[in-house]
Each structure stands twice: as C-alpha cells, then as structure tokens.
Amino acid sequence: MKLTGSQAAIESLLHENVTVIFGYPGGAIMPIYDALYDYTHSKKIRHILVRHEQGAGHAAEGWGRITGEPGVVFATSGPGATNLVTALGDAMMDTVPMVCITGQVNSAVIGTDAFQEADVIGVTAPVTKWSYQITQVEEIPFVFKKAFHIARTGRPGPVLIDITKDAQLASFDFEYPTEIKLKSYNPTTQPHMGQIKLAAELLNNSKRPLILAGHGIHISKAHKALFDLAQAADIPVALTLHGLSSFPNDHRLYAGFLGMHGNYGPNVLSNKADVVLAVGMRFDDRVTGRVVDYLKDAKIIHIDIDPAELNKIIHVEAPIVADAKPALQELLNHIKKQKHTQWVEEFHKCNAIEKTKIWDNDCNPKKGPIKMAEAVTRISEATNGNALVVSDVGQHQMIVARYFKFKLPNSFYSSGGMGTMGYGLPAAMGVKTAAPDKEVISISGDGGFQMNIQELGTIAQEHMPIKIVILNNGFLGMVRQWQQLFFDKRYSMVHMQSPDFIAVAKAYGIKGMKVKKREDLAGGISKMLQSKGPFVLEISVEQEDNVFPMVATGASVSDIRLE
C-alpha cells in the first residue's frame, strides 16, 4: 500500500487501536494534520483540540491512567514540543503510558537554527522511556510499533517520536509489523520462585506484618490479588497516593493513606512492623521521611517490575522483580492463614485518635468558614464515593486523598512524583474521554486551576460533562502552610488574587455557581452533580486552613504531627 509518511503515521496508530488523539497543529506537523483530515471525517479516529500542548500531555496521562493504554499526543516542532516536557516528566515519574508524535523541520536544515527548530530528542531524552527522530519515511512502521511496545510493557512510561517534515511528505510502500522483538528490552513479568518462597517464609513468621501498596496495583490490575493476600494473612494495608482506591477503605484491614500528610496509623506504626511487603511502590521521600530511621527493625519484601527500584532507597531482604498481579497470586499460594488481631487493633486505635483530633473538626465544623475537608467529605457523600476523581496539586490534593472515600478501583488520579500544578483540569479531560459514562470530578485549588484554565475551552468545544470544583482560599495554600509553620508566618508571594471563576466559565459557555456559606454547600454540590453538561463549582474555604497530620521534611515518620 503506497502511502505518504503522514498517512503511514495515522495508519500506524490505527494498527495500535488508537481511537483518540489530543493535539495542537503547527507548521512542522501540518502534513500529518492534513492526512488526519480524512480519518477524522470518516470517524476512524477522534482528535481533541486542546488549548495548550501541556494540556494535551496531561489529557493523554488521564487517558493512560484509566485505560492502561498509551495516551496519544500530536504537537508541532519548537515550542509545541517543548511545551510537552512537563507532561512527559510527569508521566515518567508516575509510570503512565504515553506516545507523543512531534513534527520537526526538514532534515536538510536541522542544526541551522531554522524557524521553530528545537533539539527535541536532546530535550526530552531525560523525561521519556525512549525517544527517536525519524528522518527516513521507511522507518515509520517499525518505530511506531517499537514506541507502543515500550510505552505499554514493563514499567509503562512516555515515548516520543519526532518526525521531520520531509519524512512526513515522502511516499513508500507501507506495511505494519505484526510482532516485535527487541534484544535489549525484555522486561521480567513472572516472579522468581525462590524469592517468592523466601517472602512467604518471612510473612508466615511475622507478628506485625504490613503491606504498602502503590500504583503498581492499578497498572497490574492486581486489586483482587492484593485483597485476597491481605485477607488470608490478616495483614493491614496502607496505600501510597497513587495506590489509593486499590483496597476497600471501609475494610478492617485498611490501614490508611501513607506519607507526609497521610493517616496517623500507617505513619506512626510503620516503624513497629517486623515484616513489610511493598508492592508497586518506590519508597519515595514523601513516604519514608528520614530514610535512616525508616523501617529499621523490619525485614522488607519488595515487588516491582522495575529492577532499578529494588534496593535503590531501602535495603530489601526479598527483592522480587515481577508484575504485581502474578507475584501476589503466587505468593498467596505459599501463605498460611493467620490472625494478627492485636496488631490490626493498633491501627484502629490510631484512627480513633486522628478522628478525635482532626477528622471531627475538619469534616464537620460547627462554625466558621467552610473547610476543605468538609467540602470534599460532602462531595464524597453525595457521590457515595462512586466518582472518578482527578485532583490538582496542593493542599486540596492531600485533602482529597485523605477524605474522599473511593469505592471504585483505580478511581483517583493526580500528579505524584512531579507534583505538577495545572495537572487536574486537562487530566480530567483524558479520564472523561476514556470513561464517558462515569461521573468525573476535577478538584483544584485557585492556584493550580489557573495554570491550565484555558482548557475550559476544550471542555466546552468537546461538550465534556466534567464537574469542576475549585477550593478557593486565596492563597497558594501548601506553600503558605509551610511558611506559617517553618518560616515564622512570613507569607512571601503566596497571596493570590483570582478572577471571577464563574464569569470566566460563563464566557466559555459553561454553567457555574459560587458557594460562600455552609448552608449553601449541599445545594451547590447537588446542582453541580445534576447538571447535564460541564459545571464549575467554586467553594470559598477557610483561608489559613492547614492539612494535618504532617511529617516535616527531614523528620522521621514516627514524629508525625497531629497539630
């Protein structure tokens, strides 16, 4: 089949079962957009025109997080490609499959500082799993096949293909590979049985075992395997930020949310565990606190598909390189049924302390301004925890993680490793596009929301019925909290004057409502959820509200503060 490089690029995407592209056209990728014209009009593929390339990247992340398949992005050369860097770095840190296709200037002028030329491979190599520049049209089928294979398999991640304009315009005989084998890339998915037996022996002899579960549970779809193992061995389960919604939060073995602003129990009791099973998580600094004091008395089992994560930060007795699901299933075959009633009860006691000191006041205040936790709790109750929730980054992110009662597996999406403000709104577009029949709620602060506020235009044009919540405290809240606690309340450049968000939404043709009083909160949430189209609900919350518990930077998790 004789095709141009541009047509071959689209046909390659169809061979990879791509149905949606998030993108923004420009000069160097114009031939691909010209080819795309026929495919969109025949409805073979859908293109969503974003308002900024960063928005395209985060939307593709949202798609990748919920489907497990690579989100696809188109962007032009120069600034179009460099605008993707933040989203690529975010996807790389958070293990999200994504394939970005960027146009490039003609190969004859590469290196001459041509108009909108940038060294895209040099710029993106540190934040991609693989990146490659196509200068010969014949390379397109194999490179696309390789890109999707690398993005999907092993530890998923972002891949970038840069295609010169002359390669897009040239013609060749197109044939797409049916399979691919790469000598230098063969991820291990099945566990080593010797390590599984060692791990089982450690757990079977444990008196105070603890499971730390992360994003790998969602990626591997290992929710049932995790639940069955925890049940069989009666082990408390604590979840990382990306692990939230991987274990029922109303189960007696749910220990809570790990990390700097996580629950009291899993933080203060981590160092009392004698055996820790870590699955699909990477022991980042927000979880460990001061590393030298973390899990000093515990024997550690670590299951991860990426061998680079094993023994990287924490010494591990039983490292297991494998996909989480088969590893947990195999481990279950060697586990003895046990009861750790007293140990589990310690977590329940910690929960009771946290409830008295924090939850009761934050979730059900009797007077004063609306609190963030109160707003999130009411949204959780109104949806019965059955929404897909996309959070931006900041105080509200930690509040959502702490107080939304997720009922659906893999139903919480946020930026973890990079902590990217502006992630929430465009990522919600990707989630909603992939799950049109689910209720999708985007929750942002007034700061993060304004970083990609222009994507309201995309939401309006594409008629995406996303429910958008802005918790407005007039500050860059997380920075302000740190300045209050550690910089003597020297509030440097954190007060933020915002536009009338409801008027901005209206300008885009999106309905909205602002809530200032507690007595209007339930009605506002109800109106938002009943809206058939997109809806912006701005909630004015307490300005100097803080998120506790908190583990200060450089402190041990055992030193977690309740106030």
Side-chain angles (χ1 to χ4, degrees), residues 324-450:
K325 186 175 181 178
L328 289 174
Q329 288 173 332
E330 195 59 60
L331 187 55
L332 183 60
N333 293 333
H334 300 271
I335 288 292
K336 296 176 183 176
K337 286 192 175 292
Q338 299 182 64
K339 276 291 178 186
H340 299 106
T341 306
Q342 190 173 344
W343 171 236
V344 173
E345 187 57 32
E346 287 193 47
F347 287 89
H348 295 170
K349 288 177 181 177
C350 286
N351 286 342
I353 292 170
E354 185 174 343
K355 183 177 185 301
T356 301
K357 286 185 172 288
I358 299 173
W359 293 351
D360 289 344
N361 180 57
D362 282 2
C363 298
N364 298 293
K366 304 301 181 188
K367 57 183 180 180
I370 299 169
K371 297 179 81 70
M372 291 180 290
E374 177 185 8
V376 169
T377 298
R378 299 292 92 81
I379 294 169
S380 179
E381 291 169 348
T383 59
N384 195 30
N386 285 313
L388 304 180
V389 180
V390 186
S391 168
D392 213 285
V393 170
Q395 281 184 315
H396 68 278
Q397 175 191 32
M398 296 296 100
I399 291 293
V400 172
R402 286 176 50 76
Y403 296 107
F404 197 92
K405 303 300 182 187
F406 304 99
K407 291 292 192 297
L408 303 175
N410 193 22
S411 58
F412 176 59
Y413 317 93
S414 193
S415 171
M418 286 281 276
T420 304
M421 292 177 68
Y423 169 95
L425 191 63
M429 300 189 313
V431 172
K432 187 62 180 179
T433 303
D437 297 329
K438 298 287 187 183
E439 187 75 89
V440 176
I441 301 176
S442 167
I443 302 180
S444 298
D446 45 314
F449 185 72
Q450 291 182 77

Side-chain angles (χ1 to χ4, degrees), residues 299-330:
K299 290 182 170 60
I300 300 168
I301 306 156
H302 192 178
I303 300 171
D304 204 288
I305 200 162
D306 184 356
E309 292 298 340
L310 304 180
N311 287 307
K312 183 176 85 173
I313 295 169
I314 301 293
H315 173 71
V316 180
E317 271 72 24
I320 300 173
V321 180
D323 186 83
K325 186 175 181 178
L328 289 174
Q329 288 173 332
E330 195 59 60

Side-chain angles (χ1 to χ4, degrees), residues 128-205:
T128 53
K129 201 174 170 188
W130 182 61
S131 57
Y132 186 83
Q133 185 176 82
I134 294 176
T135 58
Q136 301 294 322
V137 68
E138 293 82 7
E139 297 179 286
I140 288 174
F142 176 76
V143 170
F144 271 69
K145 185 73 174 178
K146 181 176 178 180
F148 277 86
H149 177 65
I150 290 174
R152 285 187 182 114
T153 56
R155 180 177 181 174
V159 170
L160 182 135
I161 306 170
D162 193 45
I163 313 178
T164 60
K165 199 168 185 179
D166 48 316
Q168 297 173 45
L169 293 167
S171 298
F172 75 119
D173 291 319
F174 175 81
E175 185 177 352
Y176 201 71
T178 55
E179 58 181 35
I180 188 166
K181 292 182 180 179
L182 304 174
K183 288 183 180 179
S184 59
Y185 179 74
N186 292 291
T188 300
T189 59
Q190 299 303 310
H192 186 280
M193 287 309 302
Q195 295 300 92
I196 287 288
K197 289 176 180 177
L198 173 59
E201 182 182 355
L202 291 173
L203 287 170
N204 288 336
N205 292 322

Side-chain angles (χ1 to χ4, degrees), residues 496-523:
M496 177 165 283
Q497 180 177 324
S498 297
D500 182 337
F501 289 121
I502 307 308
V504 171
K506 185 178 179 182
Y508 281 106
I510 296 173
K511 294 179 180 179
M513 175 181 177
K514 184 170 184 175
V515 171
K516 293 182 177 181
K517 298 178 181 179
R518 178 165 290 112
E519 54 266 32
D520 298 328
L521 181 58

Side-chain angles (χ1 to χ4, degrees), residues 68-135:
E69 285 293 306
V72 176
V73 174
F74 280 0
T76 194
S77 62
T82 59
N83 281 345
L84 288 175
V85 171
T86 297
L88 287 167
D90 197 272
M92 189 71 174
M93 288 280 275
D94 286 351
T95 314
V96 182
M98 182 160 70
V99 174
C100 296
I101 294 104
T102 55
Q104 183 55 274
V105 299
N106 280 312
S107 54
V109 297
I110 288 177
T112 68
D113 294 331
F115 178 67
Q116 289 194 334
E117 181 193 357
D119 180 4
V120 176
I121 302 304
V123 169
T124 62
V127 290
T128 53
K129 201 174 170 188
W130 182 61
S131 57
Y132 186 83
Q133 185 176 82
I134 294 176
T135 58

Side-chain angles (χ1 to χ4, degrees), residues 231-254:
Q231 280 268 82
D234 203 38
I235 306 176
V237 179
L239 304 178
T240 67
L241 181 72
H242 286 326
L244 291 171
S245 75
S246 66
F247 193 86
N249 51 44
D250 56 357
H251 195 278
R252 63 176 284 274
L253 292 175
Y254 179 59

